[in-house]
Amino acid sequence: MKPHFLIVGYLIAVALPLALSWWFGGPMRPWQEELASSLGILAFSMILMEFLLSGRFKRLSKGVGLDTTMRLHQVMARAALVFALIHPLLYQGTPSGGQRPWDPTRELTVTTDFAPLASGIAAYLLLGALVFLAIGRTKLDYKYETWRLLHGVGALLIAVLLLHHTVSAGRYGSQPVMTAVWFAMTAVAGGSLISVYLVVPLLQKARPWRVTDVVRLTSRQWLLTVTPDGHPGLRYQAGQFVWLNIGHSPFSLHEHPLSICSAPTTGPEISFMIKELGDFTRTVGRIPTGTLAYLDGPYGNLSIEGRAEPGVALIAGGVGLAPLLGILRQMRDTGDSREVKVIYGNRIVDQIAFRDELDAEDTVYVLQEPADDWAGESGLIDAALIDRVFSEQQIKDWLFVMCGPASMMDIVEHRLIERGTPSHRILSERFDYD
């Protein structure tokens, strides 16, 4: 799916309930009443679309990247929160009370029956809490599994509460056609949760993997390898990633996104370069061989397959080397004759992984804290370094693939575009936004 198709499809899906509400809703009310209802309708439809954007659906993310759909998920959640917060404040001066015989279409009145309003108020409060907990997840420092469980359960509860509020208290939602629409959209949203938390784990259970090797690369980096247990393995492209679950049931929430550093040409075994950062990664070195594992994937568009540029630049920061290493290995194994240049940044020399392999390539090493005898580049991967390493012709014609800290990718992307690199020749993926 192309990015513009995703955006157009999203806008149509979000706007459809609003258009149908106006078509079937009867006579218009004062503008502030219509605006209040419109914001509420848009907020609800956007919240239901959030389930699809976060559902890891390959058909949805293919061509745009899972990071793009997740970014849209984050931005739209905040927009939905703003619409939802404004929605009830615009009903000022409206006569209130239960349904009245002279106003069957609720043109003049909004119900104040407790249950319909209570469900809306509860959803109103929960939505704000859910968005702010997501934004502050890293600062609150609670486990990813805890956050994911709270996020999923909270989102489902909000959807159910809003469904009740919309069809019970809403003037438009009470119309039979709109009630059916809202029930259908909520069912689709719930179905996406069933797919992620039930269908996908069932498929994973039928295709288990085993840990076959755990090797220390540097003081805080490991190479973990898994092999398929009773099945052919995974079809993937060099540079893609999977969600890896090691030592837990496929129905558990203990899974983590990891880039594949091996190449498809090396066989069914898959390897991951893992840096000790969080709860899971700090225990990688203690994982025994033979441990059961499950993979959900592949995902990602950080692939050069089918590209025809005359040269490839691979720019990595730290553990961001992993997917680029897979690309480099695939190019080598398939006899790709294109020129390749690697830029690999780390804090200190002891963090450089796979140096023997990278020394065989045109590799520029960059250290933030170099020793006195360091002969390579020092500092950060920045605009000045890009200018020194790449010629004008390479900047315009080559394919640039990046993975690493967001600040590094921002700087490099900005400089490449400044110097004339077309945006379609810059590949990167981002999963940390707040």
Side-chain angles (χ1 to χ4, degrees):
M1 180 181 292
K2 300 296 184 182
H4 57 277
F5 288 147
L6 174 64
I7 294 172
V8 171
Y10 178 85
L11 292 176
I12 291 174
V14 165
L16 182 61
L18 182 60
L20 292 176
S21 295
W22 285 345
W23 183 265
F24 293 105
M28 297 287 286
R29 299 169 297 176
W31 71 267
Q32 71 271 20
E33 309 294 328
E34 294 300 330
L35 180 58
S37 292
S38 298
L39 290 176
I41 291 167
L42 286 174
F44 188 21
S45 58
M46 290 165 71
I47 288 168
L48 294 177
M49 285 299 295
E50 292 290 276
F51 288 81
L52 298 180
L53 291 176
S54 63
R56 301 187 205 166
F57 296 109
K58 294 175 186 176
R59 289 183 179 273
L60 188 64
S61 63
K62 186 177 181 181
V64 299
L66 189 61
D67 62 326
T68 300
T69 60
M70 288 304 298
R71 183 53 175 163
L72 183 60
H73 169 82
Q74 291 176 313
V75 172
M76 290 300 102
R78 297 170 198 189
L81 175 61
V82 172
F83 290 171
L85 292 177
I86 297 173
H87 156 69
L89 304 179
L90 294 176
Y91 284 114
Q92 298 176 5
T94 303
S96 61
Q99 281 207 6
R100 300 174 183 179
W102 61 85
D103 186 25
T105 63
R106 303 187 191 183
E107 181 180 353
L108 302 175
T109 61
V110 176
T111 182
T112 54
D113 292 344
F114 177 74
L117 290 182
S119 58
I121 293 169
Y124 186 92
L125 298 174
L126 276 174
L127 178 61
L130 198 69
V131 171
F132 285 111
L133 282 174
I135 293 173
R137 178 171 64 90
T138 54
K139 293 181 180 178
L140 293 172
D141 195 29
Y142 52 97
K143 290 184 177 182
Y144 168 77
E145 295 81 15
T146 303
W147 171 81
R148 188 178 172 196
L149 178 62
L150 291 174
H151 200 71
V153 172
L156 181 60
L157 182 56
I158 288 170
V160 172
L161 288 169
L162 285 178
L163 177 63
H164 178 265
H165 176 70
T166 300
V167 302
S168 301
R171 176 205 181 189
Y172 293 117
S174 63
Q175 301 295 322
V177 171
M178 292 313 304
T179 297
V181 168
W182 287 122
F183 268 97
M185 290 184 67
T186 305
V188 170
S192 72
L193 282 184
I194 293 173
S195 173
V196 171
Y197 293 106
L198 181 61
V199 176
V200 170
L202 283 172
L203 295 175
Q204 291 176 346
K205 190 173 180 63
R207 295 172 62 87
W209 297 69
R210 296 279 179 182
V211 175
T212 54
D213 204 12
V214 182
V215 178
R216 183 185 290 275
L217 295 173
T218 68
S219 60
R220 295 184 60 199
Q221 295 182 103
W222 298 85
L223 181 68
L224 184 143
T225 303
V226 297
T227 191
D229 186 2
H231 59 92
L234 184 71
R235 294 183 61 183
Y236 67 97
Q237 297 177 1
Q240 291 189 297
F241 72 94
V242 301
W243 290 80
L244 179 64
N245 173 348
I246 296 181
H248 298 279
S249 161
F251 299 96
S252 78
L253 301 179
H254 290 79
E255 55 178 1
H256 307 271
L258 293 173
S259 294
I260 302 170
C261 70
S262 52
T265 51
T266 59
E269 285 192 339
I270 292 180
S271 295
F272 305 94
M273 180 181 173
I274 303 173
K275 184 177 181 179
E276 294 180 12
L277 290 172
D279 295 327
F280 162 70
T281 54
R282 280 195 291 266
T283 66
V284 169
R286 300 194 296 271
I287 296 174
T289 58
T291 301
L292 202 60
Y294 299 98
L295 273 61
D296 177 21
Y299 296 101
N301 295 317
L302 209 64
S303 168
I304 69 169
E305 207 166 285
R307 306 293 300 234
E309 287 84 357
V312 179
L314 304 173
I315 304 173
V319 76
L321 177 67
L324 308 190
L325 192 62
I327 292 172
L328 186 63
R329 289 169 169 172
Q330 182 75 359
M331 293 182 69
R332 187 189 305 132
D333 292 346
T334 56
D336 194 318
S337 60
R338 286 179 290 181
E339 190 177 353
V340 178
K341 191 169 290 187
V342 181
I343 298 179
Y344 180 25
N346 283 287
R347 187 174 60 84
I348 58 176
V349 69
D350 289 343
Q351 293 177 342
I352 298 176
F354 298 103
R355 186 160 188 176
D356 290 344
E357 189 173 346
L358 293 172
D359 281 346
E361 307 293 338
D362 183 1
T363 302
V364 177
Y365 298 102
V366 186
L367 296 183
Q368 289 179 308
E369 301 174 12
D372 293 338
D373 59 350
W374 175 250
E377 295 280 352
S378 60
L380 300 172
I381 298 176
D382 56 15
L385 178 67
I386 297 300
D387 290 342
R388 289 196 300 273
V389 172
F390 298 104
S391 69
E392 199 70 32
Q393 198 64 43
Q394 290 170 338
I395 288 287
K396 291 180 179 178
D397 296 340
W398 278 27
L399 176 65
F400 290 81
V401 189
M402 293 180 288
C403 189
S407 57
M408 179 204 82
M409 291 192 290
D410 288 340
I411 291 170
V412 174
E413 282 185 358
H414 181 72
R415 186 54 179 164
L416 289 173
I417 290 173
E418 259 187 352
R419 290 190 56 189
T421 306
S423 59
H424 68 271
R425 290 199 181 126
I426 303 173
L427 304 182
S428 64
E429 285 182 327
R430 302 160 188 265
F431 288 94
D432 186 16
Y433 304 105
D434 297 308

